Amino acid sequence: MDHHCPWINNCVGWGNHAHFTSFLAFATLGCFHASIILGCSLYRALNRVHYLYYGTGNEPIVYLGLYGIIMCVLALGFTIGVVIAVGMLLFFQIRAIIRNRTGIEDWILEKANYRRRNINETFTFPYDLGTWKNICQVINFSCQPVGIGCLEKKFKISQKAMNRCLG
């Protein structure tokens, strides 16, 4: 599990991570597209007189009243806010896919390495298979095999040691 998402009313994990990431990508792209359209409409509406007098006559003229301008500015602010907020979440999800670690696993790994600093031992994260294989795993919805060089026994020993450190 990575986290619980109220938008999809479900936990994001290995079974739906690709769908969630594509949802974030399309939400970001859709709001970015809407912000471009709203920005251009607002620009055309505010410069309507200029296009009437100095334009070629082929330009579309956008007429917005006071309420239309207020709603356009409000909608533009919302779309830019969604692009920033959901775009940041998309960035963190892509980073998680590339590293093959969830946010919870990042926190556990950070704690394990912090508590092992005195014995000069670092915890080897067993699921990182390299960037391309990590991406393919999420796209193919395959389960996470243990990484190269991490034997199952070594992994279990590391997990027990990490649990003792976190205990």
Side-chain angles (χ1 to χ4, degrees):
M1 178 191 89
D2 184 45
H3 69 283
H4 182 80
C5 178
W7 293 341
I8 62 172
N9 194 24
N10 202 354
C11 291
V12 177
W14 73 269
N16 61 358
H17 201 198
H19 295 297
F20 181 70
T21 305
S22 64
F23 163 71
L24 294 177
F26 286 117
T28 304
L29 287 174
C31 284
F32 182 71
H33 182 253
S35 66
I36 290 173
I37 291 172
L38 286 167
C40 290
S41 297
L42 188 62
Y43 178 80
R44 288 268 184 181
L46 294 176
N47 294 310
R48 172 181 83 235
V49 175
H50 173 78
Y51 287 112
L52 286 172
Y53 288 115
Y54 301 110
T56 62
N58 295 330
E59 297 92 1
I61 304 299
V62 178
Y63 294 100
L64 290 177
L66 178 63
Y67 292 124
I69 289 176
I70 291 171
M71 294 304 289
C72 190
V73 169
L74 186 66
L76 183 62
F78 283 146
T79 57
I80 290 172
V82 169
V83 166
I84 292 170
V86 177
M88 286 175 46
L89 184 56
L90 175 64
F91 167 76
F92 289 121
Q93 290 302 311
I94 290 173
R95 187 182 73 173
I97 289 171
I98 289 172
R99 293 178 175 180
N100 208 8
R101 288 195 309 246
T102 64
I104 295 170
E105 290 169 336
D106 275 338
W107 179 79
I108 290 171
L109 184 64
E110 181 182 332
K111 286 288 189 187
N113 284 330
Y114 176 76
R115 292 186 174 162
R116 291 176 178 206
R117 71 187 183 284
N118 294 334
I119 58 175
N120 293 326
E121 182 181 326
T122 58
F123 178 71
T124 304
F125 190 72
Y127 297 122
D128 189 6
L129 302 174
T131 302
W132 182 246
K133 287 184 180 180
N134 291 343
I135 292 170
C136 288
Q137 267 188 338
V138 172
I139 293 172
N140 294 331
F141 306 107
S142 61
C143 52
Q144 298 177 340
V146 176
I148 299 169
C150 292
L151 300 173
E152 187 175 336
K153 182 178 177 182
K154 182 179 176 185
F155 176 61
K156 287 181 181 177
I157 292 169
S158 296
Q159 282 292 325
K160 287 179 185 177
M162 184 171 65
N163 288 337
R164 276 196 313 266
C165 288
L166 293 176

